[in-house]
């Protein structure tokens, strides 16, 4: 796919970066803009930042330097300054007034000359100053570092509107994560980095411009897909010398409690502490790399890490998850009824759940809709009822309706029937997103007729239940990968759709918790290694897969264990 418009302009590589930063500094100082959009979020992040802005690469006066990060500076009160010294894990801000702000933004988009300018170049500010002998730019581990990315037009003028979608990749041999990006709505973007000291080392730091000017939100955005790598460099995270500052130590993650699922969005990471260098795919298409007795390295997870078949990779967020043994899983789920409502990657998760976690080795496929009681292999006195209702279309064989499937009375009735009698499901796992990306003409329509109607529908079902209410988990949709980064269900659109759905379900007080499938899948979305673009959980197969033999399915399996954790935590 080719970019469009002014995308032909050369973007700076690593070598020209340093010079360019110097040259554009003055430009940045001369331009100001409003950043009303993410004020609430920005304040939240600002409170997590270190007290003083990190050193700027060029040697300006301190007055100029402080003006470079004015928003951060202005946010500090005395209290904030103190809390800034206490190092903690970076967290996503709670979702607040999100739908309204995005609807306003999109409604206003196009109303000013600023909106009609394409980003041709970007510059990154706030990198620490390198020492003479340094090969890489160095960041200290533990602390949260704030960088500012500024977009310029083809004439080198700083842009004055937001809407660019930058995809950020921090990846090394044993750590992969995204870095949150905040659109300040004035052509600049705040990027936050944090590395745990145990993973000090050299990382690839890559920024790709997916879409500019909110173009990812179009119903058919393909022709707007930019896919420009605006930065691709290596940087080094170094351990701070052991010193006076015990405060710079990050607290250990703890195992997720039910409280932890109340967060609206996650910032997590994949880490690897165990590895089998000679592992390859087996005849079944599986990656049985680690000993089945191998345990997780604390605090990144608890349980048998080998069960993920990830060759050591494991995901954690603001807390760590449990990897379930078959025994633990049955102990928790015996006699329970779990209801799934979602798209085809939800269907994959259900299959993987039966296959890998509950021990139904021979189940290689499940239908899009079913309601079945499964008896434990080897002990039929134990059972679990699983209902799965595909919602990509009101007709289970079709696609691309998403939440519009609820316009169909027969489909609504089919779903509602499970909640009319007694008993009702013990837990419900909801998801939507990819098919919505194709169906809805614009954001407003999705918010009102899609998300709004879905919330009404679920509210009416749940309010009608007499007795114990099911535990309702909303699982946000995946970050689509490779070719699908430019598709109608691209990450820019899905991130916004996810947040709108979470906000609306929360406002209606329907959710017990959120599981953030977007953050989980994000670090693996740059290529086809772990997905075909829209499914991370295809069944293992010893067959050709985008130029390699076999594919990685562990990302979805991790999701299944996180859902288990959500279902089983007291
Ligand atoms: C940078 O600025 C500081 C203080 O403003 C000064 O002491 C130092 O000599 C400057 N360094 C260079 C390389 O100009
Ligand atoms: C929500 O955001 C809009 C801007 O889109 C703003 O006008 C409104 O005051 C905000 N509401 C609250 C409660 O902050
Ligand atoms: C935003 O405005 C620009 C400029 O008018 C336009 O090119 C773009 O298509 C708009 N984006 C959306 C999602 O409507
Ligand atoms: C964090 O966990 C590690 C490994 O279990 C342990 O060695 C370390 O002391 C813990 N640190 C804190 C601050 O609890
Ligand atoms: C590494 O993985 C291979 C499978 O590809 C397996 O045969 C071997 O036993 C594993 N090595 C260890 C030390 O677990
Ligand atoms: C799977 O199928 C094989 C061959 O039919 C059978 O021997 C085995 O018991 C089955 N496993 C389970 C868990 O049902
Ligand atoms: C669903 O769509 C398929 C394919 O178009 C069609 O054959 C089938 O009759 C439809 N089913 C229902 C219940 O409408
Ligand atoms: C995006 O660009 C990368 C190279 O920078 C290329 O490998 C990839 O195929 C492109 N993706 C699409 C969907 O065009
Ligand atoms: C795919 O991911 C696995 C797990 O991280 C890795 O070992 C393998 O090298 C990757 N393959 C490619 C082609 O990137």
């Amino acid at each position: 796919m080719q970019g469009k418009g002014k995308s032909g302009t050369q973007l700076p590589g690593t070598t020209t970066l340093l010079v360019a930063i110097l040259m554009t500094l003055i430009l940045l100082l001369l331009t100001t803009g409003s950043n009303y959009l993410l004020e609430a979020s920005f304040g939240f992040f600002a409170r997590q930042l270190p007290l003083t802005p990190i050193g700027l690469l060029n040697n300006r006066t301190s007055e100029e330097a402080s003006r470079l990060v004015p928003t951060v500076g202005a946010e500090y009160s005395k209290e904030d300054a103190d809390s800034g010294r206490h190092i903690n894990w970076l967290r996503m801000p709670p979702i607040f007034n999100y739908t309204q702000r995005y609807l306003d933004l999109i409604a206003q988009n196009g109303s000013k000359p600023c909106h009609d300018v394409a980003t041709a170049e970007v510059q990154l500010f706030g990198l620490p100053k390198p020492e003479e002998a340094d090969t890489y730019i160095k960041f200290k581990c533990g602390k949260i570092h704030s960088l500012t990315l500024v977009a310029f037009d083809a004439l080198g003028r700083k842009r004055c509107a937001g809407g660019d979608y930058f995809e950020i990749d921090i990846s090394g041999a044993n750590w992969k994560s995204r870095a949150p990006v905040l659109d300040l709505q004035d052509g600049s973007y705040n990027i936050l980095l944090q590395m745990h000291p145990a993973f000090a080392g050299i990382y690839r730091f890559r920024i790709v411009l997916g879409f500019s000017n909110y173009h990812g939100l179009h119903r058919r955005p393909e022709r707007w897909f930019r896919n420009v790598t605006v930065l691709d460099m290596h940087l080094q995270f170094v351990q701070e010398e052991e010193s006076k500052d015990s405060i710079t130590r990050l607290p250990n993650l703890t195992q997720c409690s039910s409280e932890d699922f109340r967060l609206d969005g996650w910032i997590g990471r994949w880490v690897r502490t165990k590895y089998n260098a000679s592992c390859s795919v087996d005849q079944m298409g599986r990656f049985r790399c680690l000993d089945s007795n191998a345990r997780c390295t604390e605090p990144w997870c608890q349980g048998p890490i080998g069960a993920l078949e990830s060759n050591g990779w494991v995901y954690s967020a603001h807390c760590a998850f449990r990897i379930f043994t078959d025994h633990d899983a049955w102990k928790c789920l015996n006699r329970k009824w779990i209801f799934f409502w979602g798209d085809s990657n939800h269907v994959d998760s259900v299959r993987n759940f039966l296959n890998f976690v509950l021990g139904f080795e021979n189940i290689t496929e499940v239908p899009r809709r079913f309601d079945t009681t499964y008896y434990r292999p080897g002990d039929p006195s134990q059972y679990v009822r699983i209902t799965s209702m595909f919602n990509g279309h009101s007709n289970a064989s079709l696609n691309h309706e998403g939440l519009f499937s609820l316009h169909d009375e027969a489909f609504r009735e089919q779903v509602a029937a499970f909640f009319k009698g007694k008993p009702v499901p013990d837990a419900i796992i909801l998801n939507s997103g990819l098919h919505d990306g194709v169906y809805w003409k614009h954001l407003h329509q999705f918010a009102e007729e899609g998300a709004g109607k879905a919330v009404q529908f679920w509210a009416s079902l749940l309010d009608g239940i007499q007795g114990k209410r099911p535990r309702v988990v909303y699982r946000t949709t995946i970050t689509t990968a490779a070719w699908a980064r430019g598709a109608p269900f691209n990450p820019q659109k899905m991130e916004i759709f996810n947040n709108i759905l979470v906000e609306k379900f929360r406002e209606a007080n329907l959710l017990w918790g959120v599981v953030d499938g977007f953050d989980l899948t994000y670090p693996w979305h740059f290529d086809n290694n772990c997905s075909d673009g829209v499914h991370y959980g295809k069944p293992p197969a010893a067959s050709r897969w985008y130029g390699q033999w076999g594919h990685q399915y562990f990302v979805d399996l991790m999701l299944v264990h996180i859902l288990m954790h959500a279902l089983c935590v007291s």
Side-chain angles (χ1 to χ4, degrees), residues 249-283:
R249 222 171 276 147
L250 271 169
N252 274 344
L253 292 177
T254 53
Q255 195 174 140
C256 297
S257 64
S258 63
E259 184 92 352
D260 285 313
F261 289 93
R262 290 196 199 152
L263 245 65
D264 296 334
W266 300 354
I267 280 290
R269 72 226 55 87
W270 286 85
V271 300
R272 170 149 76 176
T273 58
K274 295 199 158 91
Y275 178 56
N276 172 351
S278 59
C279 182
S280 58
V281 65
D282 69 14
Q283 286 168 341

Side-chain angles (χ1 to χ4, degrees), residues 313 524 529 548 552 554:
W313 284 109
W524 307 101
N529 194 19
Q548 57 181 320
Q552 305 289 333
F554 66 84

Side-chain angles (χ1 to χ4, degrees), residues 213-228:
N213 308 70
Y214 296 111
H215 282 308
L217 282 170
H218 294 303
R219 190 181 190 185
R220 301 303 310 264
E222 290 90 340
R223 69 194 183 100
W224 302 104
F225 185 45
R226 295 285 299 271
N227 192 25
V228 188

